[in-house]
Structures are given as structure tokens and as C-alpha cells.
Amino acid sequence: MRNSWLVALATVAIANADNLAYSPPAYPAPWANGQGDWADAYQKAVDFVSQLTLAEKVNLTSGVGWEGGQCVGNTGDIPSQNFRGFCMQDSPLGVRFADYVSAFPAGVNVAATWSRDLAYARGQAMGEEHRGKGVDIQLGPVAGPLGRIPEGGRNWEGFAPDPVLTGNMMASTIEGIQDAGVIACAKHYIGNEQEHFRQGSQQNYTVSDSISSNIDDVTLHELYLWPFADAVRAGVGSFMCSYNQVNNSYSCGNSYLLNHVLKGELDFQGFVMTDWGAQHSGVGDALAGADMDMPGDVAFDSGTAFWGSNLTIAVLNGTVPEWRVDDMAVRIMSAYFKVGRDRSRVPVNFDSWTQDTYGNEYYYAGEGWTKINDHVDVRGDHAQLIRQIGSSSAVLLKNTNGALPLTGKERNVGVFGADAGSNVNGVDGCADRGCDDGTLAMGWGSGTDNFPYLVTPEQAIEAAVIQNGGLFTAVTNQSGIDFAQKAAAQADTCLVFGNADSGEGYINVDGNVGDRNNLTLWQNAEAMIGAVAGECNNTIVVLHTVGPVLVESWLHHPNITAVLWAGLPGQESGNALVDVLYGKVNPGGKTPFTWGKQRSDWGVDIIYTPNNGEGPPQQDFTEGIFIDYRHFDKANVTPTWEFGYGLSYTTFSFSGLNVQPEPAAPYTPATGKTGAAPKFGKVQGASAYVYPDDINRIEAFIYPWINSTDLHASSGDPNYGWPTDKYVPKGAQDHSPQRVHPAGGAPGGNPGLYDVVATVSVDITNTGSVAGDEVPQVYVSLGGPNDAPKVLRAFDRLTIQPGQSKTWTTTLTRRDVSNWDTVRQNWVVTNYTKTVYVGNSSRKLPLKATLILK
Ligand SMILES: *[C@@H]1O[C@H](CO)[C@@H](O)[C@H](O)[C@H]1NC(C)=O
Ligand SMILES: *[C@@H]1O[C@H](CO)[C@@H](O)[C@H](O)[C@H]1NC(C)=O
Ligand SMILES: *[C@@H]1O[C@H](CO)[C@@H](O)[C@H](O)[C@H]1NC(C)=O
Ligand SMILES: *[C@@H]1O[C@H](CO)[C@@H](O)[C@H](O)[C@H]1NC(C)=O
Ligand SMILES: *[C@@H]1O[C@H](CO)[C@@H](O)[C@H](O)[C@H]1NC(C)=O
Ligand SMILES: *[C@@H]1O[C@H](CO)[C@@H](O)[C@H](O)[C@H]1NC(C)=O
Ligand SMILES: *[C@@H]1O[C@H](CO)[C@@H](O)[C@H](O)[C@H]1NC(C)=O
Ligand SMILES: *[C@@H]1O[C@H](CO)[C@@H](O)[C@H](O)[C@H]1NC(C)=O
Ligand SMILES: *[C@@H]1O[C@H](CO)[C@@H](O)[C@H](O)[C@H]1NC(C)=O
Ligand SMILES: *[C@@H]1O[C@H](CO)[C@@H](O)[C@H](O)[C@H]1NC(C)=O
Ligand SMILES: *[C@@H]1O[C@H](CO)[C@@H](O)[C@H](O)[C@H]1NC(C)=O
Ligand SMILES: *[C@@H]1O[C@H](CO)[C@@H](O)[C@H](O)[C@H]1NC(C)=O
């Protein structure tokens, strides 16, 4: 729609005029070179791409348009190589829009398990399901949003507002997905911390551009970029750039973030795709480091594209260098070979736009009637894993006098709240789960999939009570306070359910446009809790929430004996809950976010109304690295429950901390230069790329060909070629060898960052009478005046028998004890005293030791 250069120029002008944050240009776009364990895949990609024409390479990079194929994103085929285009499919918790798939627990629950093994197992199971449906790229996992603001609508799709917990879960999930032969996609890069204004105007407000997340260099490196670096180091094949701007430059056209940081410093060898509609320019984004545009059209189904024909034209008119398109194609194919897609591909056998068996292959155009859904059941035995993650992620927050576990001898059990029951309109009654009817087991938006079924708490608890010979009733009428009181007065055990939902900004649920409007429970669940507790002296509260909620108004009621957070557990919700309630599984989850006592405790908030007139809203990350527990610690605010907290049916003690410095080679900044940009193949004259005569053009479909050899006319861009002298940013066409980033040198950053500098060991004893899981957590104080009091650096989840002790040993790397130095543009270990803390939450750290590095 807009000429990239104009956008960039206008942005600079605004930035200068209004003193808004500004992102410096960084060119040229680094070319892949097969670093690290990418060498084989890179060579195969080079061999493949070397056989392609320009139009074929463009087909690899360009989406065919919204609803132009069977997946949520599709690229063109390469018939000469008998190669079908790529199939991109949501979501981070399963195969979106398909039938016979599993509904996995959300990312926030995976974080609550603190188990890399479960994260890996879930990644692999999801990867298998995508593979079985013919998907090439699963659009997940998520590290952006990280969770800066508790109301952030999509926080639950990701993991936790801590870069180390999230980074570990990112890496394990990616390894799982990619070991299953499917390319993972680390998203949304970066600063996508709220839904409001992520795409500019919304609801009653008109603004010129998307919100700008203004993030300083230290905060970027020490907080938001950290888990993305772990993703690169884990070998992730693709990244997705986000809708928002960063420093007033669109993420998908921000050369500093894509060229300098991601492909330079982090040495990312895979490819960057745009979020759906996050592309705002053709030439500009290509030069700034984007490699694939999704879904491919300028506006959904406009039939026009920034790339496709325009990318072919841009190469022919010399604005986008040939090597840049070669690099896009090589990066895309490298990811393909890296995960073994060449060995694991099956045809796409489902359709995103209908679940009918027969339909149109080109849904928007209404053409290509064929069998589009084979209804392949890809679920395998994943239900067991889902149930295990569900029970392993439950966080026991309060438990008075052993109220839990239930013994099975309860004679009269009551279940209360709409959140315990079914959605009366069906399990998938609301499109993209955009409602809050019945029990909450995932949030809403594109980060969802269809439930094959959903075991509700009501069903599972009822089955358990009947088996135990008790009485059971469930009042799931949320307004039925009178009915609830009557039943609660008769019950000896009352389980009250409440939830809080959120999701993606394109759906409004009860006035919440993605982000939550408040931090209280939904549907007045507090009233139901209070009413039941008034009648029942053993009231157990179960929460299905996307993040923290305010609980102080009811938590201390003497009849509320237990509180359990179950998060968004997916299809096996009720079964997983029953496992924990009855003690078949001893809860070992730890809260992956801090629960404040009042809204103001968190400091930062969503920008709900524009704050920059009709210009892009400005979201200044002035709190820096101080989000979630780092903020609570620094501001000395006592939370209800701190990050990392969770009870068990047993108790544990920690002793014998030993922090042993390890010799490590000195940190050496990466030096030297890359090779020159390679070219694979040869660009012919324009006539070679004119539409073939025999092609039947599908309506609104994006092709790589041009209408005629008149490039200007073929583009149809009113700003074509203007102004020719300044169109290409300085250095963008430079294909000469480039200096290696000193903090780079390998995927994930300088290998010296990952040298072990200390070993930490501790003895953990189960001091209770039942077996249980404990999560030892290592925090480090970096010691400087601008540092957080402590930051999480290592953790594990251990199963320990009663009376037994285990010695747990972990390591700290150089990165774990480093700060980002903005002057050196590298990581440094400062001279401030480093202190290591160990315990089982961010505020229960009984052991500490000073770390004197060798
Ligand atoms: C954004 O601006 C800040 C402040 O000038 C700077 O530290 C940071 O590096 C910039 N980040 C990007 C991505 O441009
Ligand atoms: C590009 O993809 C389209 C759609 O799959 C296909 O019809 C066309 O032949 C491809 N073009 C080239 C040059 O391979
Ligand atoms: C938008 O405007 C309508 C009509 O004035 C109003 O009812 C609605 O509450 C407004 N929405 C928001 C989010 O302000
Ligand atoms: C080329 O891109 C411009 C926007 O930059 C758009 O207006 C035009 O329609 C595109 N042309 C084609 C053939 O898609
Ligand atoms: C829910 O309870 C309220 C209050 O007693 C009552 O008015 C309403 O009819 C009940 N809803 C249904 C569906 O029975
Ligand atoms: C918070 O939002 C939820 C969902 O829209 C709503 O049910 C609840 O009443 C709100 N809480 C307050 C205190 O307004
Ligand atoms: C606690 O429950 C009992 C019924 O078991 C009730 O009599 C009492 O009033 C309740 N306490 C409060 C503070 O509501
Ligand atoms: C709850 O009330 C019952 C009956 O009044 C009593 O037997 C029981 O001990 C009480 N439980 C607690 C936890 O106070
Ligand atoms: C956490 O550690 C404390 C000691 O710091 C201990 O009292 C408590 O039992 C532990 N919690 C769990 C769930 O093991
Ligand atoms: C290219 O040709 C097609 C088919 O004739 C036409 O619909 C389209 O508008 C043309 N594009 C431009 C930019 O002229
Ligand atoms: C080259 O082609 C691109 C894509 O159509 C167009 O945006 C750009 O203005 C053209 N530049 C020149 C210098 O002709
Ligand atoms: C640490 O102290 C030494 C000696 O005072 C000094 O040379 C060095 O620059 C300091 N390093 C850092 C990272 O501050």
C-alpha cells in the first residue's frame, strides 16, 4: 500500500520532529552461510536453489494470498522440481482449524511444569500432529509477548515473564517440534506486548500506524531478546516478525532488529516470515531482512502483493539485489532440510476453511473442487501426555490443614460455577474460542485449535464421587447463587470454579479486545466463591486463568481451605484436575508469574487509549528489565504469591549449597569477516518472467510473474521508482564481506557466552510422607546498581521419595553472569559481586553463596 522508503523517511521525519524513539538503519541483510550445525542443510539448500529461476525463488518467498490455499499460509509451488509450496499452520498449542487433532495445554501451563522434558514431549507430539496433516511449519512457540503486562491478551500463548524460564521452554519445544520433522517458528519478534493498537486503528480510535514499543538496548538484550537467542541456539528454522513497531519502525521492516540483531548478532541461519499483514513495504522489508511474506497479499484478498510480481520487478529494476532473493530462498530451504522435511512430508490432507470432505482447493477464488479433507486422525496417544502436563502444571497455592488431597471418603460433594461445566453451544461453539462459556481450557484467537472433546471438571469429579459412593451435585448456572447456597449448605466438600480469559485482539469478548480490561475473575465469580464459602466450611477454589488474578478479597475467608490454579489445561482438563485433587498426582507446578495484591502492584499497564494523538501510540518500556518479580523485588512490594511459588502434599528442605567456579577460556569477541554474498543462478531479461500464455490465473492469487516487460506498468504501483536516487538505503546492496558482530559468531550468539563458569549443587530432601516433585531454582544477583535484586538462571524438576535426599547439580554459563554493555556492544562480566541463591521460589531462597569467578 505504501512505498517502503516513504514510510521509513516519514518515520525518521516524525521521530526527529517529535523526539520519538528511533531505530537506526542496519544494512546489508546478512546472508546465510551454514554456520554451526546448519552446514549440511545449507549445502542441500544451495544445491536446490541453484537450479531455480528467479520466478521460482520468488514463489518460495511469497504467500499466494489469504485463503488462497488449504493452510493459513501457503507459498507457491515449483513444478519444475516437483516441489509443492510451503504449508504454514497455527498454532502454538496444536493444529488449528483441523479435525482429529489434540488440544494441548497452553504455553503458560508448560511453563508452570518447569519441566524441559514435558516441554519437549509436547513439542514433539504437536510436531507429529502437524506432520501428519501435511504442515511444513508450525507457527509457534511464542516468546513475544513475554508478559510485560499481566493483562496482555496473548501472554498465555507464550510461557512466562521471565527470559530464562521462557528461553528453556522455547528451546525444548522447538527441539521437540523439529525432531518430529516440522519447522518451528519463534514468534512474535519482538516487543508485541499488548493487543491494543498492534495493527494501528481499532474500535473507536483512529491512529496512523501500529503501536511502537520503545525498548532500550539493555532491556532488549537482557530481557526480551534472551529467549529468542535460546530459540536460535536450539536451531529454530523460522522466525515471525510482529505487528507492532519498535522505536517507530515496523518490526518486519526494522533493519536493526532483523539484519543487525537477529541475523548478525544472533547469527540466525533460518528465515523470517511476516505476521499476517505485518508487511508494510516490498523493497523495504526485503532489504531490512524479511524472507517470506504472509499471507502474501497487500490486504487480504486484494490480489496485489508487495512481493510476488513486485519482488521479481524489484530484482529486474535493480533495487533488490539478486543475492538477497537467493539468500531468502536458501534460508527457507535450509530450514526445510535441517528438520528433514524432505523425508517426512505428506500431502496437505486437511483444509483450514472448512471441515467438509470435498471443497475448493482455492477457497477464496472458489476454484479447484476436490477432496480436501481426509480426516486423518493424528492424535496418537497424546491424550495421556496432555493429562500429564495438565496435572504437572497445576499449582497448589493454598492448602489449610490438609484440605487437599481429597480422601475419597467425601460423602457429599458440590461443584459450583460455570467454569466447571460444558459450553452449551458445543465444545468448539465459539469461533477461535472467542467466548467464555463453560470451563476455560484455552484462551482465544489464532493461538487455539479445535477440541476433539473436552473433559470438564464437572464430568471428571462426578465420575470420581460416584465411584467413591458419595452424593454429587453441580450448580453451573453462574447467576444461580441461590441454588449454589442451598447445595453448599448440604455438602461437606465444595469446589468452586472461576476463570479469567484473554486472547488475540481481532476478537472482542465481553468488551475485552484481546487484552484483559481488569485483573479480577470473570462473570462475577467472586460472588459465587463468597456465597459458597458462606455455607460450606471446606471450600476449595479452582482457577482457570490466563495469568494472575486478584484474590485478596476472598482468599482469607476462613472457610476457603484450598486454592489450586489449573491454568489452561487443554482437552483433558477434568481428568488432570481429578488426578491432583485426589492425590494420584502430587502437585509440583510452580506459578510462572507473580500474583499481586492489587492492580497497581505491577506498575506497567496496557495502553488502552491512544497517547500520541493520531500518531502511533508510544509504549515506552521505561521500567526496563523490571517486570514481574524483578519489579516486585525492586519496589519491595509483597505479592500474594511470588514467581516460582507452589505447594505440595509433602515438604522439602534445601541444604549443602556448593558453588564451584569453573575455569573458562577468556571471552573473545568474534572477529573477522564473512565471505561475499553468494549468488545462485542467473537472472534473465524481463521477458523470461512474463506470465506464460497457458496459465489459468486463479482469482486474487499471487504469482511471481509480470504482466509485460514494462516493469512500471506491471507493478501498478503509483509511487513506482520514486525518488530513484534515494530509494535504496545506504549499504543495502553491498555484497562485499562484512564484519562479524563481536557478540556473534555462531547461532545464538558468541559461543563464549555459553562456556560454563560455575557448577552449583544442592541437596534436596523430601521431609514429608509422600513422594513429590520439587523445583529447585537458582537465582543470581549480578550485583550492579542497575541490576535486579536477583534473576532466575537455572532450574529443574525432580521427583523425590519421602525421606530421600537428592543432590542436584547444575551449571551457570558466562551469559548467566553477564550484563549487556551498550558501549562495547557486547556482554561483559562486571566487577560487582555475584551472589547465587537457591530455593523453591523467587522469595524462598534459604541458601546463598558468593560466586568468585576464576
Ligand atoms: C531504540 O532506541 C533506544 C534508545 O535510543 C536504543 O537504545 C535501542 O537500541 C533502539 N532499539 C532499536 C531496535 O532500534
Ligand atoms: C508458482 O506457484 C504457483 C502456485 O502454486 C504455480 O502455479 C506456478 O507455476 C509457480 N511458478 C513457478 C515459476 O514455478
Ligand atoms: C466505542 O464507542 C461506542 C459508542 O460510542 C461505545 O458504546 C463503546 O463503549 C466504545 N468502546 C470503547 C472500547 O471505548
Ligand atoms: C506492487 O506493490 C504496490 C505497493 O507497493 C501495490 O500497490 C501494487 O498493487 C503491487 N503490484 C502488484 C502487481 O501486486
Ligand atoms: C440461573 O439462576 C438464576 C437465579 O436464580 C435464575 O433466575 C435463572 O433462571 C437460572 N438460569 C437457568 C438457565 O435456569
Ligand atoms: C472484569 O472483566 C470481566 C470480563 O469482562 C468482567 O466479567 C468483570 O465483571 C470485570 N470486573 C470488574 C471489577 O469490572
Ligand atoms: C463457614 O461455614 C459454616 C458452615 O459450615 C458457616 O456456618 C459459617 O458461617 C461460615 N463462616 C463464614 C465466615 O462465612
Ligand atoms: C465443618 O463443619 C462440620 C460440620 O459442622 C464439622 O464436622 C467439621 O469439623 C468442620 N470442618 C472444619 C474444617 O472446620
Ligand atoms: C519450599 O522451601 C521451604 C524452605 O525454604 C520449605 O519449607 C517448603 O516446604 C518448600 N516447599 C515445597 C512445596 O516443598
Ligand atoms: C495484470 O494483468 C491482469 C490480468 O489481465 C490484470 O487483472 C491486472 O490488473 C494487471 N496488473 C497490473 C498492475 O496492471
Ligand atoms: C523497482 O521495483 C519495485 C517493485 O515494483 C518498486 O517498488 C520500485 O519503486 C522500483 N524502483 C525503481 C528504482 O524502479
Ligand atoms: C574491573 O576492574 C578492573 C580493575 O579495576 C578494570 O580494569 C576493569 O575494566 C573492570 N571491568 C569491568 C567490566 O568493569
Side-chain angles (χ1 to χ4, degrees), residues 821 824 828-832:
D821 186 321
R824 284 181 231 200
V828 293
V829 180
T830 66
N831 288 340
Y832 299 108

Side-chain angles (χ1 to χ4, degrees), residues 477 479-480 482-483:
N477 173 355
S479 321
D482 42 354
F483 297 110

Side-chain angles (χ1 to χ4, degrees), residues 781-805:
S781 164
L782 296 170
N786 300 322
D787 290 325
K790 59 189 174 283
V791 289
L792 179 72
R793 284 299 186 251
F795 61 87
D796 213 341
R797 180 167 175 145
L798 310 172
T799 301
I800 308 179
Q801 299 303 316
Q804 200 194 41
S805 284

Side-chain angles (χ1 to χ4, degrees), residues 55-56 59 76-79 701 703-705:
E56 289 170 334
N59 245 11
D77 302 326
I78 304 180
F701 202 85
Y703 293 96
W705 291 300

Side-chain angles (χ1 to χ4, degrees), residues 111 114 116 142-148 159-172 190 193 218-231 592 624-630 643 754 779 782 788 790-795 815-816 818 827:
W114 297 64
R116 280 177 288 270
V142 172
L146 184 67
R148 173 177 181 254
F159 299 102
D162 176 86
V164 168
L165 182 51
T166 292
N168 274 273
M169 296 305 160
M170 284 294 280
S172 296
I190 197 172
E193 296 293 327
V218 167
T219 302
L220 184 79
H221 281 87
E222 296 187 8
L223 194 61
Y224 296 100
L225 186 64
W226 185 290
F228 284 112
D230 290 322
I625 60 164
F626 296 96
I627 65 168
D628 199 73
Y629 70 90
R630 299 160 186 239
F643 175 81
Y754 299 94
Y779 293 80
L782 296 170
K790 59 189 174 283
V791 289
L792 179 72
R793 284 299 186 251
F795 61 87
R815 182 168 76 139
D816 291 330
S818 293
W827 296 92

Side-chain angles (χ1 to χ4, degrees), residues 667 669-670 742-743 750 753 819-828:
Y667 182 63
N750 192 310
L753 293 172
N819 285 89
W820 180 253
D821 186 321
T822 58
V823 176
R824 284 181 231 200
Q825 284 295 299
N826 212 330
W827 296 92
V828 293

